[in-house]
Amino acid sequence: FFDLSSGINAEYGHFEEALGVVQNELGKRNPGDPVPSEQYVYLWDQLGNIALSLERYEDAAKLYQATVEGLALNNIPRSSRKITELFLKLGQIYAIISDYTQAELSFLHVVEVTTAELRKNGTGPKNRDVVHLNGLAFEGLGKMYVSMGQIENALHMYKYSIDFARSALGPNDAHIPVLLSDMAFTYQSTGRLEEASIAVEEAVQLSAKNNPMVYPTILCNKATITMEKGELEDAQKLYAEAMRIAKKQSDYSAVQEISSNQVILLEKLAARQKEEN
Protein backbone atom coordinates (compact mmCIF):
# COMPACT_ATOMS: atom_id res chain seq x y z
CA PHE A 1 0.00 0.00 0.00
CA PHE A 2 2.77 2.46 0.84
CA ASP A 3 4.84 3.32 -2.21
CA LEU A 4 8.51 3.38 -1.16
CA SER A 5 9.36 5.41 -4.24
CA SER A 6 8.60 8.47 -2.12
CA GLY A 7 11.64 7.62 -0.02
CA ILE A 8 13.79 7.28 -3.12
CA ASN A 9 12.49 10.55 -4.54
CA ALA A 10 13.15 12.38 -1.27
CA GLU A 11 16.65 10.94 -1.01
CA TYR A 12 17.52 12.20 -4.47
CA GLY A 13 16.02 15.63 -3.91
CA HIS A 14 12.85 15.16 -5.97
CA PHE A 15 10.63 16.75 -3.36
CA GLU A 16 7.61 17.32 -5.59
CA GLU A 17 7.47 13.66 -6.63
CA ALA A 18 7.93 12.45 -3.07
CA LEU A 19 5.29 14.84 -1.76
CA GLY A 20 2.84 13.76 -4.45
CA VAL A 21 3.20 10.10 -3.54
CA VAL A 22 2.74 10.72 0.18
CA GLN A 23 -0.24 13.04 -0.32
CA ASN A 24 -1.87 10.45 -2.57
CA GLU A 25 -1.37 7.74 0.06
CA LEU A 26 -2.68 9.91 2.89
CA GLY A 27 -5.73 10.80 0.85
CA LYS A 28 -6.54 7.13 0.25
CA ARG A 29 -6.22 5.99 3.87
CA ASN A 30 -9.29 4.37 5.40
CA PRO A 31 -9.99 2.84 8.82
CA GLY A 32 -8.61 -0.69 8.86
CA ASP A 33 -5.84 -0.01 6.35
CA PRO A 34 -2.39 -1.42 7.24
CA VAL A 35 -0.49 0.63 9.80
CA PRO A 36 2.47 2.41 8.19
CA SER A 37 5.81 1.38 9.62
CA GLU A 38 7.46 3.78 12.06
CA GLN A 39 10.38 4.12 9.64
CA TYR A 40 8.04 5.17 6.87
CA VAL A 41 6.25 7.65 9.12
CA TYR A 42 9.57 9.33 9.85
CA LEU A 43 9.93 9.87 6.11
CA TRP A 44 6.86 12.12 6.32
CA ASP A 45 8.64 14.09 9.02
CA GLN A 46 11.68 14.48 6.74
CA LEU A 47 9.48 15.66 3.90
CA GLY A 48 7.87 18.12 6.30
CA ASN A 49 11.31 19.53 7.08
CA ILE A 50 11.97 19.95 3.35
CA ALA A 51 8.60 21.65 2.85
CA LEU A 52 9.37 23.97 5.77
CA SER A 53 12.77 24.88 4.32
CA LEU A 54 11.01 25.73 1.03
CA GLU A 55 8.45 27.84 2.95
CA ARG A 56 5.69 25.49 1.83
CA TYR A 57 4.01 25.97 5.19
CA GLU A 58 0.64 24.33 4.53
CA ASP A 59 2.33 21.25 3.04
CA ALA A 60 4.71 21.12 6.02
CA ALA A 61 1.79 21.32 8.47
CA LYS A 62 -0.05 18.47 6.70
CA LEU A 63 3.09 16.30 6.73
CA TYR A 64 3.86 16.96 10.40
CA GLN A 65 0.24 16.29 11.33
CA ALA A 66 0.37 13.05 9.33
CA THR A 67 3.56 12.13 11.21
CA VAL A 68 1.83 12.68 14.55
CA GLU A 69 -1.08 10.47 13.47
CA GLY A 70 1.25 7.83 12.01
CA LEU A 71 3.29 7.64 15.21
CA ALA A 72 0.05 7.33 17.19
CA LEU A 73 -0.90 4.35 15.00
CA ASN A 74 2.45 2.83 16.03
CA ASN A 75 1.46 3.25 19.70
CA ILE A 76 3.81 6.18 20.29
CA PRO A 77 2.15 8.28 23.05
CA ARG A 78 1.30 11.91 22.32
CA SER A 79 3.40 12.84 25.36
CA SER A 80 6.57 11.44 23.75
CA ARG A 81 9.43 13.85 23.06
CA LYS A 82 9.21 13.36 19.29
CA ILE A 83 5.50 14.15 19.09
CA THR A 84 5.92 17.08 21.47
CA GLU A 85 8.62 18.51 19.16
CA LEU A 86 6.28 18.03 16.20
CA PHE A 87 3.54 19.98 17.98
CA LEU A 88 6.02 22.80 18.56
CA LYS A 89 6.75 22.90 14.82
CA LEU A 90 3.05 22.80 14.08
CA GLY A 91 2.41 25.71 16.43
CA GLN A 92 5.14 27.78 14.77
CA ILE A 93 3.81 27.00 11.28
CA TYR A 94 0.17 27.67 12.14
CA ALA A 95 1.23 31.01 13.63
CA ILE A 96 3.03 31.92 10.38
CA ILE A 97 -0.06 31.19 8.28
CA SER A 98 -2.28 32.99 10.84
CA ASP A 99 -4.24 29.91 11.90
CA TYR A 100 -4.12 31.10 15.49
CA THR A 101 -6.63 28.60 16.86
CA GLN A 102 -4.50 25.63 15.75
CA ALA A 103 -1.30 27.44 16.75
CA GLU A 104 -2.59 28.00 20.28
CA LEU A 105 -3.76 24.39 20.62
CA SER A 106 -0.37 23.11 19.41
CA PHE A 107 1.67 25.34 21.71
CA LEU A 108 -0.56 24.53 24.70
CA HIS A 109 -0.04 20.81 24.06
CA VAL A 110 3.73 21.38 24.33
CA VAL A 111 3.27 23.42 27.51
CA GLU A 112 1.06 20.75 29.08
CA VAL A 113 3.41 17.85 28.28
CA THR A 114 6.65 19.61 29.24
CA THR A 115 5.22 21.10 32.43
CA ALA A 116 3.98 17.67 33.53
CA GLU A 117 7.39 16.13 32.80
CA LEU A 118 9.24 18.83 34.72
CA ARG A 119 6.94 18.48 37.74
CA LYS A 120 7.77 14.79 38.01
CA ASN A 121 11.25 15.71 39.16
CA GLY A 122 10.00 17.96 41.94
CA THR A 123 12.73 20.30 43.13
CA GLY A 124 15.51 18.24 41.55
CA PRO A 125 17.62 19.21 38.52
CA LYS A 126 15.60 19.95 35.39
CA ASN A 127 16.19 18.45 31.94
CA ARG A 128 17.49 21.40 29.89
CA ASP A 129 15.95 20.11 26.65
CA VAL A 130 12.50 19.89 28.24
CA VAL A 131 12.87 23.35 29.78
CA HIS A 132 13.83 24.78 26.39
CA LEU A 133 10.84 23.11 24.72
CA ASN A 134 8.64 24.62 27.41
CA GLY A 135 10.22 28.04 26.89
CA LEU A 136 9.89 27.87 23.10
CA ALA A 137 6.19 27.04 23.45
CA PHE A 138 5.62 30.04 25.72
CA GLU A 139 7.70 32.19 23.36
CA GLY A 140 5.55 30.97 20.46
CA LEU A 141 2.40 31.86 22.37
CA GLY A 142 3.84 35.29 23.12
CA LYS A 143 4.62 36.04 19.46
CA MET A 144 1.22 34.71 18.42
CA TYR A 145 -0.59 36.94 20.91
CA VAL A 146 1.42 39.95 19.64
CA SER A 147 0.23 39.14 16.09
CA MET A 148 -3.33 38.93 17.41
CA GLY A 149 -2.98 42.26 19.23
CA GLN A 150 -3.35 40.61 22.65
CA ILE A 151 -0.41 42.47 24.16
CA GLU A 152 -1.03 41.74 27.83
CA ASN A 153 -1.34 38.02 27.12
CA ALA A 154 1.92 38.19 25.16
CA LEU A 155 3.75 39.96 27.99
CA HIS A 156 2.42 37.41 30.47
CA MET A 157 3.85 34.58 28.33
CA TYR A 158 7.26 36.24 28.06
CA LYS A 159 7.48 37.08 31.76
CA TYR A 160 6.51 33.54 32.73
CA SER A 161 9.01 31.91 30.37
CA ILE A 162 11.83 34.22 31.53
CA ASP A 163 11.12 33.57 35.20
CA PHE A 164 10.80 29.85 34.58
CA ALA A 165 14.08 29.65 32.63
CA ARG A 166 15.89 31.55 35.37
CA SER A 167 14.55 29.31 38.12
CA ALA A 168 15.10 26.05 36.21
CA LEU A 169 18.36 26.74 34.36
CA GLY A 170 19.90 29.69 36.16
CA PRO A 171 20.20 33.39 35.26
CA ASN A 172 22.81 32.83 32.53
CA ASP A 173 20.83 30.53 30.24
CA ALA A 174 21.47 31.46 26.60
CA HIS A 175 17.78 31.71 25.66
CA ILE A 176 16.89 34.32 28.28
CA PRO A 177 18.27 37.31 26.30
CA VAL A 178 16.19 36.22 23.28
CA LEU A 179 13.04 36.19 25.41
CA LEU A 180 13.93 39.57 26.93
CA SER A 181 14.44 41.03 23.46
CA ASP A 182 11.07 39.65 22.32
CA MET A 183 9.45 41.21 25.38
CA ALA A 184 11.16 44.52 24.61
CA PHE A 185 9.75 44.39 21.07
CA THR A 186 6.28 43.82 22.53
CA TYR A 187 6.64 46.88 24.78
CA GLN A 188 7.97 48.88 21.83
CA SER A 189 5.01 47.93 19.62
CA THR A 190 2.66 49.62 22.09
CA GLY A 191 4.79 52.71 22.67
CA ARG A 192 5.99 51.65 26.12
CA LEU A 193 9.53 52.69 25.25
CA GLU A 194 10.96 53.02 28.75
CA GLU A 195 9.93 49.47 29.63
CA ALA A 196 11.25 48.34 26.26
CA SER A 197 14.60 50.03 26.99
CA ILE A 198 14.95 48.29 30.35
CA ALA A 199 14.20 44.86 28.87
CA VAL A 200 16.44 45.24 25.82
CA GLU A 201 19.35 46.61 27.88
CA GLU A 202 19.28 43.48 30.03
CA ALA A 203 19.07 41.39 26.85
CA VAL A 204 22.13 43.14 25.42
CA GLN A 205 24.17 42.58 28.57
CA LEU A 206 23.23 38.89 28.82
CA SER A 207 23.69 38.09 25.13
CA ALA A 208 27.16 39.66 25.14
CA LYS A 209 28.18 37.12 27.81
CA ASN A 210 26.02 34.07 27.15
CA ASN A 211 24.78 34.09 23.56
CA PRO A 212 27.10 36.12 21.29
CA MET A 213 25.48 34.80 18.10
CA VAL A 214 22.28 36.77 18.81
CA TYR A 215 24.14 39.80 20.17
CA PRO A 216 24.14 41.89 16.95
CA THR A 217 20.41 41.32 16.41
CA ILE A 218 19.59 42.30 19.98
CA LEU A 219 21.90 45.32 19.74
CA CYS A 220 19.99 46.27 16.59
CA ASN A 221 16.75 46.03 18.56
CA LYS A 222 18.21 48.34 21.20
CA ALA A 223 19.20 50.81 18.48
CA THR A 224 15.67 50.76 17.05
CA ILE A 225 14.11 51.45 20.44
CA THR A 226 16.65 54.23 21.00
CA MET A 227 15.74 55.70 17.60
CA GLU A 228 12.04 55.65 18.46
CA LYS A 229 12.84 57.55 21.67
CA GLY A 230 14.32 60.29 19.46
CA GLU A 231 17.92 59.68 20.53
CA LEU A 232 19.13 59.51 16.94
CA GLU A 233 22.88 59.97 17.43
CA ASP A 234 22.98 57.25 20.08
CA ALA A 235 20.98 54.97 17.78
CA GLN A 236 23.44 55.66 14.96
CA LYS A 237 26.35 54.51 17.12
CA LEU A 238 24.48 51.36 18.18
CA TYR A 239 23.60 50.44 14.60
CA ALA A 240 27.23 50.92 13.55
CA GLU A 241 28.45 48.64 16.33
CA ALA A 242 25.78 46.04 15.55
CA MET A 243 26.75 46.12 11.87
CA ARG A 244 30.44 45.69 12.69
CA ILE A 245 29.77 42.60 14.80
CA ALA A 246 27.22 41.12 12.38
CA LYS A 247 29.70 41.37 9.50
CA LYS A 248 32.42 39.84 11.66
CA GLN A 249 30.11 36.91 12.43
CA SER A 250 28.94 36.67 8.79
CA ASP A 251 25.39 37.03 10.06
CA TYR A 252 23.88 38.23 6.79
CA SER A 253 20.31 38.20 8.10
CA ALA A 254 21.30 40.62 10.85
CA VAL A 255 23.28 42.72 8.36
CA GLN A 256 20.17 43.08 6.20
CA GLU A 257 17.98 44.02 9.16
CA ILE A 258 20.49 46.56 10.46
CA SER A 259 20.96 48.07 7.01
CA SER A 260 17.20 48.54 6.56
CA ASN A 261 16.92 50.28 9.91
CA GLN A 262 19.91 52.50 9.16
CA VAL A 263 18.07 53.79 6.09
CA ILE A 264 15.11 54.75 8.30
CA LEU A 265 17.49 56.45 10.75
CA LEU A 266 19.14 58.48 7.98
CA GLU A 267 15.71 59.65 6.83
CA LYS A 268 14.88 60.76 10.38
CA LEU A 269 18.23 62.59 10.68
CA ALA A 270 17.65 64.35 7.36
CA ALA A 271 14.11 65.34 8.36
CA ARG A 272 15.32 66.74 11.67
CA GLN A 273 18.10 68.71 10.00
CA LYS A 274 15.59 70.17 7.53
CA GLU A 275 13.34 71.29 10.39
CA GLU A 276 16.27 72.89 12.20
CA ASN A 277 17.23 74.83 9.08
Side-chain angles (χ1 to χ4, degrees):
F1 180 77
F2 292 97
D3 185 348
L4 291 179
S5 66
S6 58
I8 297 170
N9 285 326
E11 182 178 353
Y12 285 92
H14 302 299
F15 172 69
E16 293 294 342
E17 291 88 339
L19 181 60
V21 171
V22 171
Q23 287 179 328
N24 183 52
E25 291 167 354
L26 294 176
K28 293 190 300 184
R29 273 200 65 78
N30 296 301
D33 283 343
V35 174
S37 70
E38 193 173 332
Q39 180 182 7
Y40 194 83
V41 169
Y42 279 122
L43 172 62
W44 304 344
D45 180 36
Q46 293 171 25
L47 288 171
N49 292 338
I50 296 171
L52 184 59
S53 70
L54 295 173
E55 299 182 358
R56 297 270 296 270
Y57 297 120
E58 292 186 1
D59 286 333
K62 289 176 183 176
L63 287 160
Y64 288 142
Q65 191 62 53
T67 306
V68 169
E69 294 167 3
L71 291 174
L73 288 172
N74 280 272
N75 298 315
I76 307 297
R78 289 169 71 86
S79 59
S80 71
R81 181 71 55 80
K82 179 61 183 177
I83 289 183
T84 303
E85 290 171 349
L86 285 166
F87 269 107
L88 180 65
K89 289 181 183 178
L90 283 166
Q92 292 166 338
I93 292 170
Y94 285 132
I96 290 171
I97 63 177
S98 301
D99 188 343
Y100 296 127
T101 298
Q102 290 300 320
E104 186 174 39
L105 288 171
S106 299
F107 286 134
L108 288 175
H109 174 84
V110 179
V111 168
E112 180 183 357
V113 170
T114 54
T115 301
E117 185 172 344
L118 291 167
R119 282 176 178 166
K120 289 179 183 177
N121 202 27
T123 58
K126 307 298 184 186
N127 183 309
R128 297 184 71 88
D129 292 337
V130 179
V131 173
H132 281 140
L133 274 176
N134 184 278
L136 288 170
F138 275 106
E139 181 183 8
L141 284 166
K143 290 181 177 179
M144 183 195 75
Y145 289 136
V146 169
S147 298
M148 296 172 69
Q150 297 181 16
I151 302 303
E152 291 306 317
N153 280 344
L155 289 170
H156 175 73
M157 294 297 111
Y158 289 131
K159 289 174 182 176
Y160 176 87
S161 57
I162 290 167
D163 290 344
F164 185 78
R166 282 174 170 154
S167 64
L169 301 174
N172 296 320
D173 180 67
H175 196 58
I176 291 174
V178 177
L179 293 169
L180 282 164
S181 184
D182 287 342
M183 187 166 71
F185 170 79
T186 305
Y187 281 128
Q188 176 194 346
S189 68
T190 57
R192 296 161 66 174
L193 297 181
E194 289 306 320
E195 290 165 292
S197 294
I198 292 169
V200 81
E201 179 59 33
E202 187 176 0
V204 166
Q205 298 299 324
L206 287 174
S207 62
K209 296 186 298 182
N210 307 323
N211 195 346
M213 293 308 297
V214 302
Y215 180 68
T217 298
I218 292 178
L219 195 60
C220 174
N221 292 346
K222 179 182 178 181
T224 302
I225 293 167
T226 303
M227 177 174 64
E228 289 202 12
K229 291 170 68 177
E231 300 168 3
L232 303 186
E233 285 77 11
D234 288 342
Q236 193 170 32
K237 293 175 184 176
L238 289 167
Y239 280 133
E241 177 65 5
M243 180 66 81
R244 183 187 69 80
I245 297 170
K247 286 181 176 179
K248 185 177 180 180
Q249 293 181 353
S250 299
D251 186 346
Y252 300 113
S253 176
V255 167
Q256 185 176 7
E257 180 182 356
I258 297 163
S259 180
S260 297
N261 287 329
Q262 283 178 315
V263 170
I264 297 170
L265 174 62
L266 289 174
E267 291 173 352
K268 287 180 178 290
L269 285 166
R272 189 182 68 179
Q273 186 174 15
K274 186 176 180 181
E275 288 177 2
E276 290 173 350
N277 293 337

